[in-house]
Each structure stands twice: as structure tokens, then as C-alpha cells.
Amino acid sequence: MATLQTIRSKGPLLVIVIGLALFAFIAGDAWKILQPHQGKQDVGEVNGETLSAQDYQKMVDELSEVIKLTNGLNSLNEDQLSNVKDQVWQSYVNNKLIAAEAEKLGLTVTDAELQAIIDQGTHPMLMQTPFRNPQTGAFDKDMLKKFLVDYANLNNSQMPAQYVEYYQTLGNFWKFIEKSLRQSTLAEKYQNLIMRSLISNPVAAEDAFKGRTEQSDMLLAAVPYSSIADSTVQVSDDEIRKLYDTRKEQFKQLAETRNIRYIDVRVVPSDADRQAVQKEVTDYSNQLANTSDDFATFVRSTGSVVNYADVPVNKTVLPQDVTARLDSVAINEVYGPYYNQADDSYNAFKIIAKTTAPDSIQFRQIQVYANTEDATKTLADSIFTALKGGADFAELAQKYGQTGEANWISAASWEGAELDAENAKYINALISQPVNELASLNLGQATVILQVMNKKAMKDKYKVAVVKRPVEFSKETYNDAYNKFSQFVTQNTTLEDLKKNAEESGYTLIPRTDFSSDEHYVGGVHSTREALKWVFAAKEGEVSPLYECGDNDHLMVVSVEKINPKGYRDINSVADMLRAEIRRDKKAEKIMAQMNGFNSLDQVKGMTDAVSDSVKHVTFSAPAYIAVTRASEPVIGAVAEKTAAGKLSAPIKGNAGVYMIQVYNKDKSAEEFNAKTEESNLTNMAARYASQCIYDLRTKAEVVDQRYLFF
């Protein structure tokens, strides 16, 4: 009762306290929702403008679809998808930077300019579209216009669902091309503006011509820097600091990197695993000999990496080890089992049929689809009868929302692909159908009326059922490798432990400097995103957990050795490079002092460890390669250009040693001076310089890339 009374007496205070607590709780959640730019869903940032993971994914999907459409791919592998992600990011950053600069300068790309590019039809992007003339291969703006009209009326058309889906895909593809054309044209305008500021002129053109065509033949003698022991040349910390301050801008890095060390264990099959695969393929080869139909199902049941499609294919589509043995095998005969070292596999195959088939087929078709199967059949029979009676194919096709145009298809588009029964039926009809005859094919719920117009490139082709089983490790083998490595990782929890014990335990600790988050893979191994995320969240000296990665065949542990933050590199990380440069300069000073007053090459040749050679056709514009010092020496060409024939140069400090040269002949190439050509070359060079402006923009911009957290 006393407690209850106390609560009652403090009631108003408790209400206030609880109310404040609830407010704090609710407000805290609200702040998490409302607080801007938390970065939790942002993959990156350019000058304060963020890119969300959702928008980035949309752009990746968009470009992926374009690549699949233009290359005839059904999907992209992990490496291809990584390249797409990088392309999207680089394009996004570049377009943002250029757009910001263009806005300051008043540069735009109008709709009229874009249309002019399309009308001209020569832009490389337009050549990647399907809107090309079948005869010339050139971009056809009329084909595009016709498509855009059909695309605009897509909702009101009577096209079959498959055609509607294709038109939608093609429409999205064209939108991407339009957007990319606008962005690339704006970039070209900006770069052209910079390029035009680098004006070529007759004087510069003549200098460039002379630098390229005036040649010097010379004798040389040199003392390599390697003739002086490094231990005899002392370099102080103050000297390193002074050179670092002079070169500091060269050591600026735009993003954080990390020095890591990692152990990558690849699991490989044991002898027992090999014997098991060999036995299985031996059994399958016996079964294959007794199989006479449904080869697709049988091959699929064997786990073969080569799919069977019931269509004849070029033998070049088949694995090389199968192709090499085809001529020694009869129809319905099984070859194998045999081992193929090239792909570490056991194999057996059976030739089902051999025929002559075309590599290119021209055809046209009308796809018929109605509400019910009976209605589809009735309509298809009516159209087929009309065509047999002489009706115009194209007119009938247009009546049912299709073009009826003849198209060429290449065997390469289906050979080697995994085909279901309906697709195989369709392709076999194309192959076997006599030219100009009509055929009616029932494919699922639709009927296709088909007419083959022409066939080209008749070749011998085969139907071959292939059982190809690469040797793979078993679950037991993987578990053994995992348990052994897991025990090692558990017992070695620091970087020093890994360095000390890795080799003794049979592992290799691999160093990797300047590892960046945009590399996608740790150690070049697929499916290491979790390890990558760990690397950029860890502290120096930490050791990661054990990661299972690759194609389920790699085990990995990683340790962060050093963090290299964004900005100027720490002097200690570049000290060795600077020390080597200072040491080289001191060696050069010492050698040049010994050469002081020399007036012949013989005097240089008399020095300790001196080398000599003759070099011909040295020009100002190209670095001279000196074989005796195994070095490229640009300064030699510059000095030779200014040294008269018969004269001896002063000592020359090069990359690999100190040289003296004596030019004994000067001549010119047979090329005649053409001011316009040289000025054009200089303009092209200016264009290359202008294209590098993006890098300069990026170094000055605030670009944050944290895609690795999401993708």
C-alpha cells in the first residue's frame, strides 16, 4: 500500500517523465527518418550531390540490358557485370562534372542538334542500334522513324504479347541511346572548347615536323649509375623531406586505399574425387550407347557442362576435344570415356546425326494468337489457306499488327545455346523447310506461319550428345580443407602471427599495396564482397574471419597492414622511391664531376665500368633506347638535335647513367613538309590533351565512392 501511495503521489511527475521518454524515443526514430544525407542508402557523391543505391541499380540494369541486346546475350557473368558497374559509375561522375562546367559556360545540347546527329546517321552510337540497312549496314533513320511511330501506338496495337515485350525493350534501348548521345555531345562540346584554346600554327607545325624527321647518328660512351654502390651514397631525411615537398602534388591520392596481406586457399580435387568422376562417366557412356531418344533429358541427368539441343550444329560449336575426334566416330557410335587434360574433364559422346544445313536463313512469318486454342487454330488455318491461294504475305501480316518483312538469321544465334523443345522445333523447321514453301507450326498457345525465302552457306553439321564432366572436389575434400584452414585462422589472430606461421603451415601470405574499394575482388577472387567490406571497415593489424568465396572453391583470410587515407601520401610510404632518385642524382653529380674537361669519348671509355655504343636514327620526338644501359633516354634525342655533326656533347644526366655523345651524321627522312598535315596532327594532339581534362576536373571535385557497401 505504501508503494502504491508513493506512485499515486508522484503521478504528475511520472507522467511528465514517461512523456519525455516517449517523445525522445519517437523523436529519435523520426530523426533517423528525416535526417538528410545519412549515406546509408547512397552509393556515392559528386560535389555534394548523392546517388542512391536504387538509382544506381536502375542505371546498371539499363546498361546491362543494352549490352545484352546489342551482343545477343541472355545474361552477364560476374566479371561483365562488374565492368558494367564501373562504366555506369565513371559515366555518372564524368557527366556530373561536365554538366556543372557546361552550365557555367552556357553550353547545352538542343533537341534540334540531337535530331541533326540522328539525321546525319554517322555517330558511332547509332551504328550499335538495330536500325541499320540490311544491305549496307548503315544506320537508317527511316527505320528508326517507323519504329518510333509503332512504339508510340503500342498500347493501341493488336500485336502478340511477345512482340509488345520486344518493342518495349527496344524502346527503352532507344531512350538510353538518346540520353547517351546528348551526354556525349555535351562532353564533346566542352572538350572542343578546351581543344580550340590550344591553337596550332605554322611555326609549331614546322618544329614538330623537324622533331620527327631530322635524324642523328651518333657514337656514345656512358658510365652507368650501377657502377657506384648504393651504400657509398648517403641520403639524409632532410633531403627526402625537401624532395617530397617539391613533388608533393604527385603523391596526392583521390580515395583511401589500404595495404593488405591475405591468404587465398583454392580447394582442388583429391585422387579419390578423380576416380569417382571417371567411374561415373564410364557408367554414363554405357548408358549413352543404349539411349535412342530424349537425349536432352539424359545429358542433363549426367551433370554434363555441355547441353544437348536437338538441332544440327557446326562442329566448331562443340568442345575442341570432341571436334578433334568426330571424324573417327560413326553415326550412333559412342566414343569414350576419355580424359581431356585441357579442361581437366572426363568425357564421352555419341553422334546422333550428320546433315547439311545452312549458316544463314532468310525468312518471314506471321504469328497467330487468339483467345482460345480453337480460335487460334481456326484463324491460323484461314490465314494459311489465304496465303496458299495467293494472298499477299506482307498485307496479311500488317492486318494482324506485324510487318511480314523478310529477315536474315544466323545459325550462330542458336548454335551452342540451351534450347527447349519449342525452340528446337522452330529452328528445325527453318533448317528443313524448302525455300518459298509455307509451313504452319503450333508453338505453345500460338501458331506461326512460316516461309523460308533463302538459304546460304550450306555446311556439314552434327547432332552430338556430349557428356563432359570436369573433375571437381567432393564435399569431404572441401570439408578437410576448410577444417585445416579454419584451425590455422583460429590459432593466428594477428598479422604478425600470419607472417610468422603461414609458410610453416603450407600457406602463402600475399602482400597487396594500395588496394582500393572499387576493385570489386580481393586477390582477384570472385564473390569476395564481404571480405572487401571488412577490409575498409577494419583497423590496422586486424585479421578477418575466414571467408568462403570464389565459385565455392576458395577460402580466404585478410589482414589490414596499413591505411592510406585520402589526400597526400605519407612521406614514409614514398621515402624509398625518393631516396633512390636522390641517390641517382648524387651519383650523376659525382660522375659528371669526373668527366669535367673531357674532350673525347675515349676519355669516358677509360673510366671504370664505362660502356660504349653507336646509335642511329635518333630524333627529337622519340626517346632513344640505349641498349648498353638498357634504358630509354629522352634527353639523348634532345641533346643530339642541338649538337652539330662532328661535335662532342657535354656530359648528359640520363635515366640509367651519365652519357657523352658525338654526332657523326645528320640527315632527314624522305617525307616532305605539309603544313596542313602537321597542323592537323597538332590539333589531334590537342584533342587528346583536352580529353584528359576530365581527370583534372575529378582531382578538384569531391567524389565519394562507396558502392562496395551495396554491390
Side-chain angles (χ1 to χ4, degrees):
M1 289 295 292
T3 303
L4 182 59
Q5 183 61 37
T6 301
I7 293 174
R8 285 174 179 171
S9 66
K10 303 294 185 182
L13 179 60
L14 286 174
V15 169
I16 293 172
V17 171
I18 293 170
L20 289 173
L22 286 172
F23 174 78
F25 177 77
I26 296 169
D29 284 349
W31 176 247
K32 291 177 184 178
I33 296 171
L34 298 175
Q35 188 178 7
H37 309 305
Q38 288 299 299
K40 291 183 179 179
Q41 295 300 320
D42 294 334
V43 299
E45 184 178 309
V46 179
N47 286 335
E49 184 174 349
T50 58
L51 175 64
S52 71
Q54 292 80 5
D55 289 341
Y56 176 69
Q57 184 63 59
K58 287 178 183 177
M59 290 189 285
V60 170
D61 291 342
E62 183 181 48
L63 182 56
S64 297
E65 290 303 317
V66 167
I67 291 174
K68 287 190 286 187
L69 182 65
T70 53
N71 292 279
L73 301 174
N74 293 322
S75 61
L76 302 180
N77 61 36
E78 190 174 350
D79 287 334
Q80 291 169 328
L81 190 56
S82 293
N83 288 333
V84 169
K85 291 173 183 176
D86 288 341
Q87 287 182 51
V88 167
W89 174 250
Q90 294 298 335
S91 296
Y92 174 79
V93 173
N94 292 348
N95 289 332
K96 285 294 180 184
L97 295 177
I98 289 175
E101 296 300 309
E103 185 177 3
K104 296 175 188 175
L105 298 167
L107 294 178
T108 60
V109 178
T110 65
D111 291 342
E113 287 177 300
L114 193 61
Q115 188 59 52
I117 293 171
I118 294 171
D119 290 341
Q120 188 178 18
T122 57
H123 196 284
M125 281 190 194
L126 297 175
M127 297 305 297
Q128 303 301 315
T129 70
F131 310 113
R132 300 194 303 273
N133 186 296
Q135 279 74 41
T136 64
F139 172 76
D140 191 328
K141 63 180 180 181
D142 293 327
M143 286 180 65
L144 172 62
K145 288 178 180 178
K146 184 179 183 305
F147 165 77
L148 292 177
V149 170
D150 293 341
Y151 181 67
N153 298 319
L154 197 58
N155 293 333
N156 300 321
S157 71
Q158 300 299 316
M159 288 185 185
Q162 295 92 327
Y163 281 87
V164 171
E165 184 179 352
Y166 174 73
Y167 266 60
Q168 288 173 338
T169 300
L170 205 54
N172 292 334
F173 171 74
W174 177 248
K175 289 176 184 176
F176 174 85
I177 293 295
E178 262 192 325
K179 179 181 70 175
S180 299
L181 275 174
R182 193 179 294 274
Q183 291 170 340
S184 68
T185 303
L186 185 62
E188 288 170 12
K189 280 189 172 186
Y190 177 69
Q191 291 174 358
N192 282 337
L193 187 63
I194 296 174
M195 182 188 71
R196 297 301 177 187
S197 68
L198 305 172
I199 302 172
S200 62
N201 57 69
V203 175
E206 188 171 357
D207 281 345
F209 178 77
K210 288 180 178 179
R212 185 165 48 81
T213 60
E214 292 186 352
Q215 303 173 345
S216 300
D217 300 337
M218 68 186 74
L219 301 173
L220 65 81
V223 177
Y225 298 135
S226 58
S227 64
I228 300 176
D230 289 350
S231 60
T232 64
V233 181
Q234 301 302 314
V235 179
S236 69
D237 292 342
D238 288 342
E239 289 173 314
I240 294 174
R241 168 60 67 179
K242 184 177 179 180
L243 183 58
Y244 174 82
D245 291 339
T246 303
R247 300 281 183 81
K248 194 171 182 179
E249 288 304 316
Q250 296 179 11
F251 308 131
K252 186 176 182 180
Q253 61 179 39
L254 303 181
E256 178 185 302
T257 64
R258 300 199 166 197
N259 297 350
I260 63 172
R261 289 180 180 259
Y262 64 95
I263 297 173
D264 172 29
V265 178
R266 184 177 181 184
V267 184
V268 296
S270 65
D271 291 340
D273 296 334
R274 292 184 174 279
Q275 292 170 9
V277 174
Q278 182 181 20
K279 182 180 183 304
E280 287 183 15
V281 174
T282 300
D283 293 341
Y284 290 139
S285 65
N286 294 330
Q287 296 174 37
L288 185 58
N290 298 318
T291 301
S292 58
D293 58 2
D294 201 3
F295 290 98
T297 300
F298 172 76
V299 170
R300 195 180 306 116
S301 71
T302 67
S304 172
V305 295
V306 179
N307 296 311
Y308 176 80
D310 193 29
V311 295
V313 299
N314 275 297
K315 63 181 179 179
T316 54
V317 175
L318 299 168
Q320 290 185 357
D321 54 297
V322 175
T323 302
R325 295 167 169 84
L326 279 180
D327 293 338
S328 60
V329 183
I331 304 297
N332 289 322
E333 181 182 346
V334 174
Y335 187 98
Y338 66 91
Y339 174 72
N340 182 47
Q341 186 175 6
D343 58 5
D344 193 18
S345 65
Y346 285 95
N347 306 265
F349 66 87
K350 181 178 183 178
I351 300 179
I352 313 302
K354 180 179 179 181
T355 186
T356 302
D359 255 358
S360 296
I361 302 172
Q362 187 187 38
F363 70 101
R364 56 185 181 179
Q365 66 180 27
I366 301 174
Q367 187 169 353
V368 184
Y369 180 81
N371 293 331
T372 65
E373 284 190 34
D374 290 342
T376 299
K377 183 178 185 307
T378 301
L379 180 57
D381 290 344
S382 174
I383 295 173
F384 189 79
T385 301
L387 292 172
K388 280 286 193 179
D392 185 271
F393 197 103
E395 288 181 3
L396 267 178
Q398 290 169 6
K399 180 180 177 180
Y400 295 100
Q402 300 164 57
T403 65
E405 295 177 350
N407 295 297
W408 283 97
I409 187 172
S410 169
S413 63
W414 68 73
E415 290 185 352
E418 187 173 2
L419 303 174
D420 59 24
E422 297 290 338
N423 283 324
K425 179 180 178 182
Y426 180 80
I427 291 168
N428 280 320
L430 284 175
I431 293 171
S432 60
Q433 183 74 10
V435 173
N436 293 326
E437 287 193 15
L438 293 166
S440 181
L441 298 177
N442 294 322
L443 300 174
Q445 296 180 336
T447 297
V448 174
I449 298 172
L450 183 70
Q451 185 177 35
V452 173
M453 312 296 292
N454 198 359
K455 296 181 179 182
K456 290 183 178 179
M458 304 298 290
K459 294 182 179 178
D460 288 340
K461 299 198 176 186
Y462 302 81
K463 289 184 180 181
V464 185
V466 180
V467 177
K468 177 176 279 292
R469 286 282 306 276
V471 178
E472 297 176 341
F473 55 79
S474 63
K475 183 178 179 180
E476 291 74 17
T477 299
Y478 183 87
N479 288 341
D480 288 344
Y482 181 92
N483 292 334
K484 178 186 174 185
F485 190 52
S486 177
Q487 183 177 7
F488 171 82
V489 173
T490 302
Q491 294 173 346
N492 296 272
T493 57
T494 68
L495 177 57
E496 291 306 314
D497 288 340
L498 294 180
K499 291 179 178 179
K500 180 181 178 181
N501 300 320
E503 186 175 353
E504 183 180 342
S505 300
Y507 301 117
T508 301
L509 186 62
I510 305 170
R512 173 67 164 82
T513 59
D514 286 327
F515 181 68
S516 63
S517 64
D518 62 359
E519 294 187 37
H520 302 294
Y521 310 127
V522 179
V525 180
H526 290 179
S527 303
T528 48
R529 190 168 74 87
E530 292 304 315
L532 175 64
K533 289 169 64 177
W534 181 90
V535 165
F536 284 89
K539 298 177 182 178
E540 290 184 1
E542 288 187 341
V543 176
S544 76
L546 186 156
Y547 291 105
E548 298 177 83
C549 47
D551 298 322
N552 295 317
D553 60 347
H554 284 258
L555 305 169
M556 182 177 289
V557 67
V558 192
S559 180
V560 175
E561 189 166 30
K562 189 175 187 305
I563 298 174
N564 305 310
K566 177 182 178 181
Y568 295 103
R569 298 295 298 268
D570 179 79
I571 189 172
N572 293 325
S573 65
V574 295
D576 288 343
M577 179 184 68
L578 297 175
R579 184 179 291 105
E581 184 176 344
I582 295 169
R583 185 181 291 121
R584 185 195 67 184
D585 290 345
K586 286 189 172 186
K587 289 181 179 181
E589 291 174 5
K590 184 176 181 179
I591 296 170
M592 292 174 79
Q594 294 173 357
M595 291 182 180
N596 187 32
F598 281 12
N599 54 22
S600 74
L601 291 183
D602 288 337
Q603 290 174 293
V604 179
K605 293 177 184 178
M607 296 178 66
T608 303
D609 297 321
V611 294
S612 61
D613 201 358
S614 63
V615 186
K616 293 185 176 182
H617 310 309
V618 175
T619 66
F620 176 81
S621 62
Y625 179 75
I626 310 303
V628 290
T629 57
R630 299 179 181 178
S632 177
E633 300 286 8
V635 68
I636 295 291
V639 174
E641 197 270 338
K642 297 297 183 182
T643 303
K647 297 293 184 179
L648 182 71
S649 75
I652 305 165
K653 183 176 77 171
N655 291 325
V658 176
Y659 303 82
M660 289 185 73
I661 65 171
Q662 185 170 13
V663 177
Y664 64 84
N665 182 48
K666 283 181 174 283
D667 60 14
K668 297 180 180 180
S669 69
E671 183 180 350
E672 294 185 4
F673 176 68
N674 184 307
K676 289 185 177 180
T677 299
E678 294 302 322
E679 288 186 42
S680 176
N681 291 339
L682 291 174
T683 299
N684 292 335
M685 187 179 299
R688 291 194 292 272
Y689 293 151
S691 66
Q692 296 172 7
C693 67
I694 295 296
Y695 176 79
D696 294 327
L697 290 177
R698 187 156 186 169
T699 59
K700 296 177 182 178
E702 287 296 326
V703 178
V704 178
D705 179 4
Q706 51 187 29
R707 293 173 294 146
Y708 72 95
L709 293 173
F710 302 89
F711 300 94

